[in-house]
């Protein structure tokens, strides 16, 4: 059953507008996006976390992106690299689960080649969030969605709120300071 995505856009925390648009693209749910906004959404797989990141970048303009995800498909990595080539992604910092290289070693080698070992860390994670930052915006997206599309019920919360970004950024900084760069698997990881 193909259900429409539903979303809540909130520019003023005291007033909320609930929408149940029959949309199939993340960009349509972000139509009310503006500095200080909040968008809360539900989907049935009409778009992925990567689609939502791209739609957000189309609103914010070029930005630095920090991403935490359990895994990353090669097509998703190539799409993210395309955003770097287009100048929408100024940088990409990636946090993935440490099981990723044992599951997809060929993907990992290509991802390290595209983004560089210094921009990647592994830890035990299943958290999916993206931080999108430039001079005007500090957007935090938290989601059940993976980078690729999934025809299941998914949720996301998107806030242009630097305090939320700082909360998640501190977690990433901590891991980046303690964990070796890249996706090399040690003997105790296998």
């Amino acid at each position: 059953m193909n259900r429409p995505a539903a979303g809540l856009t909130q520019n003023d925390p005291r007033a909320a507008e609930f929408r149940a648009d029959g949309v199939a693209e993340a960009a349509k749910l972000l139509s009310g996006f503006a500095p200080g906004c909040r968008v809360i959404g539900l989907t049935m797989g009409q778009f992925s976390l990567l689609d939502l990141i791209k739609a957000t970048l189309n609103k914010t303009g070029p930005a630095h992106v920090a991403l935490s995800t359990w895994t990353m498909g090669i097509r998703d990595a190539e799409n993210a690299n395309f955003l770097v080539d287009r100048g929408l992604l100024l940088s990409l910092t990636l946090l993935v689960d440490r099981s990723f290289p044992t599951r997809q070693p060929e993907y990992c080698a290509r991802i390290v080649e595209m983004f560089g070992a210094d921009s990647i860390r592994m830890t035990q994670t299943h958290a999916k969030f993206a931080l999108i930052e430039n001079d005007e915006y500090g957007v935090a997206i938290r989601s059940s969605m993976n980078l690729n599309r999934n025809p299941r019920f998914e949720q996301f919360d998107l806030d242009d709120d630097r305090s939320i970004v700082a909360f998640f950024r501190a977690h990433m900084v901590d891991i980046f300071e303690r964990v070796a760069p890249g996706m090399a698997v040690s003997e105790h990881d296998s």
Side-chain angles (χ1 to χ4, degrees):
M1 182 167 155
N2 189 8
R3 295 184 182 180
L8 162 94
T9 301
Q10 187 173 339
N11 290 327
D12 178 348
R14 296 162 301 200
E17 170 194 351
F18 288 90
R19 299 182 336 201
D21 300 327
V23 300
E25 298 176 13
K28 291 178 184 175
L29 281 179
L30 296 182
S31 63
F33 186 91
C37 79
R38 167 176 287 164
V39 179
I40 299 169
L42 301 172
T43 79
M44 281 299 291
Q46 294 92 335
F47 53 88
S48 67
L49 179 55
L50 187 56
D51 293 331
L52 186 57
I53 292 168
K54 287 191 271 188
T56 304
L57 287 167
N58 286 335
K59 296 287 190 171
T60 66
H64 301 277
V65 174
L67 176 63
S68 174
T69 185
W70 184 68
T71 192
M72 182 178 226
I74 197 63
R75 204 168 98 205
D76 301 321
E78 288 169 351
N79 284 331
N81 196 40
F82 175 75
L83 295 175
V84 171
D85 291 344
R86 283 188 51 210
L88 270 177
L89 268 178
L90 301 175
S91 66
L92 178 67
T93 305
L94 182 61
L95 180 63
V96 296
D97 190 74
R98 70 182 195 173
S99 68
F100 185 32
T102 60
R103 291 180 284 110
Q104 297 292 343
E106 66 283 355
Y107 289 7
C108 293
R110 179 70 181 119
I111 291 167
V112 169
E113 180 184 313
M114 282 188 269
F115 303 110
D118 286 341
S119 66
I120 303 166
R121 297 294 189 279
M122 295 187 307
T123 191
Q124 289 182 311
T125 189
H126 198 251
K128 297 165 193 89
F129 63 84
L131 309 176
I132 301 171
E133 298 178 87
N134 61 19
D135 290 340
E136 189 174 353
Y137 291 95
V139 176
I141 301 171
R142 289 89 61 212
S143 179
S144 63
M145 290 186 283
N146 292 306
L147 291 173
N148 61 336
R149 282 191 190 168
N150 183 1
R152 289 176 170 76
F153 174 68
E154 300 275 12
Q155 67 73 221
F156 70 90
D157 299 306
L158 180 151
D159 288 275
D160 179 34
D161 185 320
R162 292 203 188 268
S163 64
I164 296 172
V165 170
F167 175 79
F168 286 97
R169 166 94 38 223
H171 172 68
M172 300 250 333
V173 166
D174 178 56
I175 290 172
F176 268 68
E177 288 174 351
R178 294 185 298 110
V179 175
M183 288 196 251
V185 178
S186 67
E187 289 180 24
H188 72 276
D189 288 333
S190 4

